[in-house]
Amino acid sequence: MGEHELLVSVAFGGICGSDLHYYQHGGFGTVRIKQPMALGHEVSGVVQAMGSKVSGFTKGQRIAISPSRPCGNCRFCQTGMQNHCLNMRFYGSAMPFPHIQGAFSEQLVISASQAHPVADHLSLSEAALAEPLSVGLHAIQRAGGVLGKQVLVTGCGPIGSLLIGGLRRAGAARIVAGDIADLPLQCARQMGADETINLRTQADALDTYKADKGQFDAVFEASGSEPALRAAMDVIAPRGVLVAVGLGGEIALPMNQIVAKEIDLRGTFRFHAEFANAVQFLNSGLIDGKPVITAVLPFERAVEAFALAADKSQSLKVQIAFADTATA
Amino acid sequence: MGEHELLVSVAFGGICGSDLHYYQHGGFGTVRIKQPMALGHEVSGVVQAMGSKVSGFTKGQRIAISPSRPCGNCRFCQTGMQNHCLNMRFYGSAMPFPHIQGAFSEQLVISASQAHPVADHLSLSEAALAEPLSVGLHAIQRAGGVLGKQVLVTGCGPIGSLLIGGLRRAGAARIVAGDIADLPLQCARQMGADETINLRTQADALDTYKADKGQFDAVFEASGSEPALRAAMDVIAPRGVLVAVGLGGEIALPMNQIVAKEIDLRGTFRFHAEFANAVQFLNSGLIDGKPVITAVLPFERAVEAFALAADKSQSLKVQIAFADTATA
Amino acid sequence: MGEHELLVSVAFGGICGSDLHYYQHGGFGTVRIKQPMALGHEVSGVVQAMGSKVSGFTKGQRIAISPSRPCGNCRFCQTGMQNHCLNMRFYGSAMPFPHIQGAFSEQLVISASQAHPVADHLSLSEAALAEPLSVGLHAIQRAGGVLGKQVLVTGCGPIGSLLIGGLRRAGAARIVAGDIADLPLQCARQMGADETINLRTQADALDTYKADKGQFDAVFEASGSEPALRAAMDVIAPRGVLVAVGLGGEIALPMNQIVAKEIDLRGTFRFHAEFANAVQFLNSGLIDGKPVITAVLPFERAVEAFALAADKSQSLKVQIAFADTATA
Amino acid sequence: MGEHELLVSVAFGGICGSDLHYYQHGGFGTVRIKQPMALGHEVSGVVQAMGSKVSGFTKGQRIAISPSRPCGNCRFCQTGMQNHCLNMRFYGSAMPFPHIQGAFSEQLVISASQAHPVADHLSLSEAALAEPLSVGLHAIQRAGGVLGKQVLVTGCGPIGSLLIGGLRRAGAARIVAGDIADLPLQCARQMGADETINLRTQADALDTYKADKGQFDAVFEASGSEPALRAAMDVIAPRGVLVAVGLGGEIALPMNQIVAKEIDLRGTFRFHAEFANAVQFLNSGLIDGKPVITAVLPFERAVEAFALAADKSQSLKVQIAFADTATA
């Protein structure tokens, strides 16, 4: 353990869509696993020991752990774009080789700068939502803010639902949520959506938003599906911002529409500074992530947890508990 | 002629790509000509008579004429987005029905607000470049400005080349221009490009710009071709802005790349306030559009002019002269 | 009543600081009352009759009334800056001459575009807060948004306190509120402030925020006092935005500090589009303005209401009820 | 000399206003010289030797030298705000203690990252303008860009005049320059101003710009004088950006005007990334700084050079030549 590091026992770890892709398919897009790699990057824990130059932490301190470990020196780090760091060591990623090991383990040695104290009244299970919530908050920053705006979210899995919690807190005036299943839509409503639309069974419900070239100031596309992206282009207002959240494959886009409506299609990728905000919002209760957690299993049942996480009919966020002593 | 209108004799009219599409194919994308429609929206002229309440114009005043005629009252006009006006009457457009007649005629009655005085030393032929230059200036505004930035332009026809003139004036630090033909690249260089690349014969020349996730802060894609758009995604920097200029069809896009690099793909469509700027830049000589004009034919040879404009091997901008008396 | 107008019975009207200035001093700054002028611009009401071309309203509809009546045609209206309209007719303003009459009356004829429906469960007293809340929301827009930011508000009267409600909803991560009296600070806390500082009795409490050149990303100065503005400059971070809310007089500013810290001092004035957002937030309960209302008096006691409003030791927002039948 | 460093012989050094303040008054504002300190931060030179790990430089390479040496690790460096670095070691500054020694010397050891190659055809005298030009370019970035805007510059000394060169290159549509002396106004015109106003003898010339609440989209105040700042507030348009360039003292400001016009008063301080742009613009000839240099004296006549620099009636930028062999 280095002088600026902490030894941490991991409490809870959420299973992310990318973890599932690695587990089920050995990768996603052009990213392939080429050597053994531990998964996991959504973790909370308890400090067990501190390096000699660490201040502000004590043994027993409950923390949320940021998986983002940029180098600090490259041109992106030096301009506040740490999520594009040329030497990023993000937990559980097969993008670089050797791969970066993940955080699904009983103990971790982390940099003190990754540790964010958790408020007494917040469970460590909820604290492990800081990471996916950060993804949502960064997406909102990428959109240039949403205060007073009419917003559509397509895809209401864990990321989409936490994003909705973020949008509500960020001052969106009206939030419409779309998905092809009812469980995520129910969660979306609990997280703050004003209206939910089952895009499979209520396909026409979006039509009213096509009026006058489109009604949504911003759209967050978190499903990765081509029909959702194209539907979004019909209902987004001219100069609206369409944020693509989460990885997708090749998608055919109507460039005529992008040009004629001056649509602004922006990718969003991970986060950096937003992690601290996510913890702050969870600590203060300004965002309540509990509706997103559908199951917590002990790590001995990790295989079962992955199977459960893959079953979208009954799961949003599934977490693994790594310690008996963790305060749920 | 209304009290706020002017009677104008048209001097020069440039043939635009959309004019060619109407002429050759009867439309583009989903837009079809359904009734006789005069073409043309890039025109200059001379004031012949003024409505009773017009001030600031005299007979004989040489002017550039904006083809943009928004309603002024819709929600887009009231928020400074006149190019998205719900009731736009843009010259020579088959988007609405009845179609909006174009400006290729000997005389026009226009609103005084469409008329922009031309400086003595500027030819009316050059003044007719104000419209396509406006398209370029609006594209630069859509990019959020380019001062000090490294910029790539793909597609160096009249719009791309005038855009390069605008980029140079707007303070781009370095401009690389790509096209698949030599004539437009030669024009691009005259308009201010620092480096030109024939994307057909020098395909590897862009490779050096892939370093460190991509080197261009902004890319302007003015060719409408899928290979150009995809090549742009490899060389644009994370959080770079990729402006899609001009109408295209369906294009398959690598969403993984848009997300992972947080690319910002923005459409740009026409212009509004930029028309006055374009005239100002041409009047003051701060932008010189002459290299873009490759031929001027009298209107009796209009059919020949359209054929010439369609021949990319020898033409950039082809203009039609509508009056003997016009000062070239 | 014109065909696009509504006849409205006024329900409640809030007394604003500018109303008080007119009442007590005959004006503020260089603005002087030169002819009889009704006061009031924070009003709600009930529709009594509709012009022939009005749709979407029925007799008995409860509404919040926007006092903003821009011309729609000037260069500011045509670029989305209606609050700077060259021909603005804002209720109860002596800026233009003849003055624009205010809304403190039993009946008003208004444009249908000024009327915003009020939700059933929202009292018309609270609905009359839409106007001062709009001022706060516009100030937040002027700051460029506050999502995830550390924010200081100095001056927690009705505007400052409603602004705090807006900041909390707009996603400010942490809100510190300062005032020289305890009543407004108590209200600030109810509206969402995380920390309150009595700038008279706890002057040193801000010192901790001077660390590392300043800790606040944004400051909203709503007291109009020079000490508050100067104190803000010591605790705002480099490139922080300091929004000046509400009219002040001549204030000596340390330009060295503005330059060396690259402080961004921005004025904010009234609002326009934000009125609809304010009503939406009140209707949905996303912002609760009730803590700001300290007294409601019937219009027969209007003189007493003005005296009460002027007494900062016991009043924040004082409202006048104009109708017996109004639902409080 | 460290492995990433260069040994450089200094060629030319420009005398800045802050150098003059130190020389004449021992400081400015609250900054005081407390120990011997060499002056100077606007220097060019020639590489004499390279550290073992330096690549891309050879002996004899002519360079412009950035005086900006941020730490790279503090919260400002990590968010692209290096000019606010908590541990900045900017040449010739008495802000920190011990003071940071300046660059007026025959030899310097610099970090290779400070060195920017100078094009063959650019004199090292002109290359020494990269620093004050960077100040101007940063001011333009602070204004959010000026493409197509109407701009006023008050104070046309070396900074103001180089700023005008930057504004012209950055696409300002029209530039009005004001000063109280004729020499700087003459320089302003050479650098690209469209109109010059002697604010002492033609005080009324600005009046026409007061129309419709003000006509300038942006104002750059580089004189540090209260009358200039106040005059700017009368002619700036609502929501215009007023950039305060260069250090000033206490100035009384009309807050009513800042609020009612929503003026955006922004400080600008030094630069960072803009240094590379400045060298690029000088190298390519896109900005020509020669009109600003009014005298170059050998370092044996340094005392005379300072006296000359202080005489505004005959001097703009005065430079000191530190080597016989320097190519002028």
Side-chain angles (χ1 to χ4, degrees):
Chain A
M1 181 173 57
E3 54 191 17
H4 294 291
E5 292 184 324
L6 301 173
L7 174 68
V8 175
S9 61
V10 176
F12 292 89
I15 298 174
C16 170
S18 66
D19 294 322
L20 275 175
H21 269 89
Y22 283 128
Y23 181 71
Q24 296 178 319
H25 309 296
F28 49 85
T30 59
V31 178
R32 293 289 112 191
I33 291 194
K34 298 173 191 156
Q35 62 181 178
M37 183 181 87
L39 297 174
H41 50 268
E42 307 180 356
V43 292
S44 59
V46 179
V47 175
Q48 300 301 342
M50 293 83 67
S52 59
K53 294 201 173 163
V54 169
S55 65
F57 288 94
T58 53
K59 185 164 181 332
Q61 170 73 55
R62 300 156 74 246
I63 57 172
I65 301 170
S66 173
S68 173
R69 299 182 295 175
C71 74
N73 298 316
C74 70
R75 70 178 167 112
F76 297 109
C77 285
Q78 290 281 312
T79 49
M81 295 195 276
Q82 282 81 357
N83 62 330
H84 296 293
C85 171
L86 294 172
N87 314 294
M88 172 62 84
R89 295 178 305 122
F90 198 94
Y91 283 149
S93 171
M95 284 189 188
F97 186 87
H99 301 338
I100 311 300
Q101 294 301 315
F104 284 173
S105 63
E106 289 179 87
Q107 289 199 317
L108 284 176
V109 173
I110 67 172
S111 162
S113 64
Q114 293 174 258
H116 296 254
V118 168
D120 288 346
H121 54 82
L122 189 75
S123 72
L124 283 173
S125 167
E126 289 169 76
L129 294 175
E131 203 273 352
L133 178 56
S134 302
V135 172
L137 295 177
H138 182 66
I140 299 171
Q141 297 285 17
R142 284 288 296 154
V146 294
L147 178 60
K149 293 191 176 163
Q150 314 295 314
V151 179
L152 172 67
V153 177
T154 53
C156 301
I159 292 286
S161 286
L162 286 166
L163 171 59
I164 288 169
L167 290 168
R168 190 85 284 169
R169 176 47 56 198
R174 188 150 191 286
I175 303 171
V176 178
D179 200 296
I180 54 173
D182 286 333
L183 182 70
L185 288 174
Q186 183 183 320
C187 181
R189 193 169 278 277
Q190 288 173 290
M191 292 303 295
D194 296 291
E195 178 186 353
T196 53
I197 299 177
N198 187 317
L199 296 171
R200 183 164 287 163
T201 61
Q202 304 165 279
D204 298 348
L206 273 178
D207 285 357
T208 178
Y209 296 104
K210 293 180 184 171
D212 290 353
K213 300 192 181 184
Q215 294 293 314
F216 290 106
D217 302 306
V219 176
F220 295 82
E221 207 302 288
S223 76
S225 85
E226 182 168 330
L229 192 56
R230 297 181 77 100
M233 299 221 175
D234 290 334
V235 295
I236 197 169
R239 295 213 193 146
V241 179
L242 201 172
V243 181
V245 189
L247 299 170
E250 297 275 317
I251 292 189
L253 291 179
M255 292 304 294
N256 271 349
Q257 213 169 359
I258 290 176
V259 166
K261 288 176 69 169
E262 296 191 318
I263 292 171
D264 199 330
L265 174 61
R266 298 184 188 169
T268 185
F269 184 62
R270 295 177 181 162
F271 54 85
H272 186 69
E274 291 86 356
F275 193 87
N277 289 146
V279 176
Q280 211 162 2
F281 284 134
L282 293 170
N283 275 345
S284 59
L286 289 169
I287 295 178
D288 177 2
K290 282 193 292 289
V292 174
I293 304 171
T294 51
V296 181
L297 277 71
F299 78 94
E300 296 85 354
R301 294 167 59 195
V303 170
E304 186 183 342
F306 272 79
L308 189 61
D311 179 356
K312 303 300 181 196
S313 72
Q314 54 177 317
S315 297
L316 284 146
K317 179 59 68 189
V318 174
Q319 292 181 332
I320 298 172
F322 285 87
D324 287 346
T325 58
T327 325
Chain B
M1 182 173 55
E3 53 190 17
H4 294 291
E5 292 184 324
L6 301 172
L7 174 67
V8 175
S9 60
V10 175
F12 292 89
I15 297 174
C16 171
S18 66
D19 294 322
L20 275 175
H21 268 90
Y22 283 129
Y23 181 70
Q24 295 177 320
H25 309 296
F28 49 86
T30 58
V31 178
R32 295 289 112 190
I33 292 194
K34 298 172 191 158
Q35 62 181 176
M37 182 181 87
L39 297 174
H41 51 268
E42 306 178 359
V43 291
S44 59
V46 178
V47 174
Q48 300 301 341
M50 292 83 67
S52 59
K53 292 201 174 163
V54 170
S55 65
F57 288 94
T58 53
K59 187 165 181 330
Q61 170 73 56
R62 300 157 73 246
I63 57 171
I65 301 170
S66 174
S68 174
R69 298 182 297 174
C71 76
N73 298 316
C74 71
R75 70 178 166 114
F76 298 108
C77 286
Q78 289 282 311
T79 50
M81 296 195 275
Q82 282 81 359
N83 62 331
H84 296 292
C85 171
L86 294 172
N87 312 294
M88 173 64 83
R89 295 178 306 122
F90 197 94
Y91 282 149
S93 171
M95 282 188 191
F97 186 87
H99 301 338
I100 310 300
Q101 294 300 314
F104 283 173
S105 64
E106 291 179 86
Q107 288 198 318
L108 285 176
V109 172
I110 67 172
S111 163
S113 64
Q114 293 175 258
H116 296 254
V118 169
D120 287 348
H121 55 80
L122 190 75
S123 73
L124 282 173
S125 167
E126 290 170 75
L129 294 175
E131 202 273 351
L133 177 56
S134 303
V135 172
L137 294 176
H138 183 64
I140 298 171
Q141 297 285 16
R142 285 288 296 154
V146 294
L147 178 59
K149 294 192 176 163
Q150 314 295 315
V151 179
L152 172 67
V153 177
T154 52
C156 301
I159 291 288
S161 286
L162 286 166
L163 170 59
I164 288 169
L167 290 168
R168 190 85 283 172
R169 175 49 55 199
R174 188 148 190 286
I175 303 170
V176 178
D179 201 296
I180 53 171
D182 286 332
L183 182 70
L185 288 174
Q186 183 182 319
C187 180
R189 195 168 276 278
Q190 288 173 291
M191 292 303 294
D194 295 292
E195 178 186 352
T196 53
I197 298 177
N198 187 315
L199 296 172
R200 184 164 287 162
T201 61
Q202 306 164 278
D204 298 347
L206 273 178
D207 285 356
T208 179
Y209 295 105
K210 293 180 184 170
D212 289 353
K213 300 192 181 183
Q215 296 291 316
F216 291 105
D217 303 306
V219 176
F220 295 83
E221 208 303 288
S223 76
S225 86
E226 183 168 329
L229 193 55
R230 297 182 77 100
M233 299 221 174
D234 291 333
V235 295
I236 197 170
R239 295 216 192 143
V241 180
L242 202 173
V243 181
V245 189
L247 299 171
E250 296 277 316
I251 292 190
L253 291 179
M255 291 303 293
N256 270 350
Q257 214 169 359
I258 290 176
V259 166
K261 289 176 69 169
E262 297 192 316
I263 293 172
D264 199 330
L265 174 62
R266 298 185 188 170
T268 185
F269 184 62
R270 294 176 179 163
F271 54 85
H272 186 68
E274 292 86 356
F275 194 86
N277 289 148
V279 175
Q280 211 162 2
F281 285 135
L282 293 170
N283 275 345
S284 59
L286 288 170
I287 295 178
D288 176 2
K290 281 194 292 289
V292 175
I293 305 172
T294 50
V296 181
L297 278 72
F299 78 94
E300 296 85 353
R301 294 167 60 195
V303 170
E304 187 183 341
F306 271 78
L308 188 60
D311 179 356
K312 302 301 181 195
S313 72
Q314 55 176 315
S315 297
L316 284 146
K317 180 59 69 189
V318 174
Q319 291 181 333
I320 299 172
F322 285 87
D324 288 345
T325 58
T327 323
Chain C
M1 180 174 55
E3 53 191 18
H4 294 289
E5 292 185 324
L6 301 173
L7 174 68
V8 175
S9 61
V10 176
F12 293 89
I15 298 173
C16 171
S18 68
D19 293 323
L20 275 174
H21 269 89
Y22 283 129
Y23 181 71
Q24 296 177 321
H25 309 296
F28 48 86
T30 57
V31 178
R32 294 290 113 191
I33 291 193
K34 299 172 190 157
Q35 62 182 177
M37 183 181 85
L39 296 173
H41 50 267
E42 305 178 358
V43 292
S44 59
V46 178
V47 174
Q48 301 300 341
M50 292 83 66
S52 58
K53 294 201 173 164
V54 170
S55 65
F57 289 94
T58 53
K59 187 166 183 324
Q61 170 72 55
R62 301 158 72 247
I63 58 172
I65 302 170
S66 174
S68 174
R69 298 182 296 175
C71 74
N73 298 315
C74 71
R75 70 178 167 113
F76 297 110
C77 285
Q78 290 281 312
T79 50
M81 295 195 276
Q82 282 81 358
N83 62 330
H84 296 292
C85 171
L86 294 171
N87 312 294
M88 173 62 84
R89 295 178 305 122
F90 198 94
Y91 283 149
S93 170
M95 284 189 188
F97 187 86
H99 301 338
I100 310 300
Q101 294 301 315
F104 283 173
S105 64
E106 291 179 86
Q107 288 198 317
L108 284 176
V109 172
I110 68 172
S111 163
S113 64
Q114 294 174 258
H116 296 253
V118 168
D120 288 348
H121 55 82
L122 189 77
S123 73
L124 283 172
S125 168
E126 289 169 77
L129 294 175
E131 203 274 349
L133 177 57
S134 302
V135 172
L137 294 177
H138 183 66
I140 298 171
Q141 297 284 18
R142 284 289 295 155
V146 294
L147 178 60
K149 294 191 176 163
Q150 314 295 315
V151 179
L152 172 68
V153 177
T154 53
C156 302
I159 292 286
S161 286
L162 286 166
L163 171 59
I164 288 169
L167 290 168
R168 191 84 285 171
R169 175 47 56 199
R174 190 150 190 285
I175 304 170
V176 178
D179 200 296
I180 54 173
D182 286 333
L183 182 69
L185 288 174
Q186 182 183 321
C187 180
R189 195 169 277 277
Q190 290 174 289
M191 293 303 294
D194 296 291
E195 178 186 352
T196 53
I197 298 176
N198 187 315
L199 296 171
R200 183 164 287 161
T201 61
Q202 307 165 276
D204 299 347
L206 272 179
D207 285 356
T208 179
Y209 295 104
K210 293 180 183 169
D212 289 352
K213 302 193 181 183
Q215 295 293 315
F216 291 106
D217 302 306
V219 176
F220 295 83
E221 207 305 285
S223 76
S225 86
E226 182 167 330
L229 193 55
R230 297 182 77 101
M233 299 220 176
D234 290 334
V235 294
I236 197 170
R239 295 217 191 141
V241 180
L242 202 172
V243 181
V245 189
L247 300 170
E250 297 276 317
I251 291 190
L253 292 179
M255 291 304 293
N256 270 349
Q257 214 169 358
I258 290 176
V259 166
K261 288 175 69 168
E262 296 193 315
I263 293 171
D264 199 329
L265 174 62
R266 299 183 188 170
T268 184
F269 183 64
R270 294 177 181 162
F271 55 85
H272 185 68
E274 292 86 356
F275 193 87
N277 289 146
V279 176
Q280 211 162 2
F281 284 134
L282 293 170
N283 275 346
S284 59
L286 289 170
I287 296 178
D288 176 3
K290 282 193 292 286
V292 175
I293 305 172
T294 51
V296 182
L297 278 72
F299 79 94
E300 296 83 354
R301 295 168 59 195
V303 170
E304 186 182 342
F306 271 78
L308 188 60
D311 179 356
K312 302 302 182 195
S313 73
Q314 55 176 316
S315 296
L316 284 146
K317 179 61 66 189
V318 175
Q319 291 182 332
I320 299 172
F322 285 88
D324 288 346
T325 60
T327 324
Chain D
M1 180 173 55
E3 53 191 17
H4 294 290
E5 292 184 324
L6 301 172
L7 174 67
V8 175
S9 62
V10 176
F12 293 89
I15 298 173
C16 170
S18 66
D19 294 322
L20 275 174
H21 269 88
Y22 283 129
Y23 181 72
Q24 296 177 322
H25 309 296
F28 49 85
T30 57
V31 179
R32 294 289 113 191
I33 291 193
K34 298 172 192 159
Q35 62 182 176
M37 183 181 85
L39 296 174
H41 51 268
E42 306 179 358
V43 291
S44 58
V46 179
V47 175
Q48 300 301 340
M50 293 83 65
S52 59
K53 293 200 174 164
V54 169
S55 64
F57 289 95
T58 53
K59 186 166 182 330
Q61 171 72 55
R62 301 156 73 244
I63 57 171
I65 301 170
S66 173
S68 174
R69 297 182 297 174
C71 74
N73 298 316
C74 71
R75 70 178 167 113
F76 297 110
C77 285
Q78 290 282 311
T79 50
M81 295 195 276
Q82 283 81 358
N83 62 330
H84 296 292
C85 171
L86 294 171
N87 312 295
M88 173 61 85
R89 295 178 306 123
F90 198 94
Y91 283 150
S93 171
M95 283 188 189
F97 186 86
H99 301 338
I100 310 299
Q101 294 301 314
F104 283 172
S105 65
E106 291 179 85
Q107 288 198 317
L108 284 177
V109 172
I110 68 172
S111 162
S113 64
Q114 293 175 259
H116 296 254
V118 168
D120 288 346
H121 55 81
L122 190 76
S123 73
L124 283 172
S125 167
E126 289 169 76
L129 293 175
E131 203 273 351
L133 177 56
S134 303
V135 172
L137 294 177
H138 183 65
I140 298 171
Q141 297 285 18
R142 284 289 295 155
V146 294
L147 178 60
K149 294 192 176 164
Q150 314 295 315
V151 179
L152 172 67
V153 177
T154 53
C156 301
I159 291 287
S161 285
L162 286 166
L163 171 59
I164 288 169
L167 291 167
R168 190 85 284 170
R169 175 48 55 198
R174 190 150 189 285
I175 304 169
V176 178
D179 200 297
I180 55 173
D182 286 333
L183 182 69
L185 288 174
Q186 183 183 320
C187 181
R189 195 169 275 277
Q190 288 174 289
M191 293 303 295
D194 296 291
E195 178 186 352
T196 53
I197 299 176
N198 187 315
L199 296 171
R200 184 165 286 160
T201 60
Q202 305 165 277
D204 298 347
L206 273 179
D207 285 357
T208 178
Y209 295 104
K210 293 180 184 169
D212 289 353
K213 301 192 181 183
Q215 294 293 314
F216 290 106
D217 303 305
V219 176
F220 295 83
E221 207 304 285
S223 76
S225 87
E226 182 167 331
L229 193 56
R230 298 181 77 100
M233 300 221 174
D234 290 335
V235 294
I236 198 170
R239 296 216 191 141
V241 180
L242 201 172
V243 181
V245 189
L247 299 171
E250 296 276 317
I251 292 190
L253 292 180
M255 291 304 292
N256 270 349
Q257 214 168 358
I258 289 176
V259 167
K261 289 175 71 168
E262 296 191 318
I263 293 171
D264 200 329
L265 174 62
R266 299 185 189 170
T268 186
F269 183 63
R270 295 179 180 161
F271 55 85
H272 185 69
E274 292 86 356
F275 194 86
N277 288 147
V279 175
Q280 210 162 3
F281 284 135
L282 293 171
N283 275 346
S284 59
L286 289 170
I287 296 178
D288 177 2
K290 282 194 292 289
V292 175
I293 304 171
T294 51
V296 182
L297 278 72
F299 78 93
E300 296 84 355
R301 295 167 59 193
V303 171
E304 187 183 341
F306 271 79
L308 188 60
D311 179 356
K312 302 300 180 196
S313 73
Q314 54 178 317
S315 297
L316 284 145
K317 179 60 67 188
V318 174
Q319 291 181 334
I320 299 173
F322 284 89
D324 287 346
T325 59
T327 324

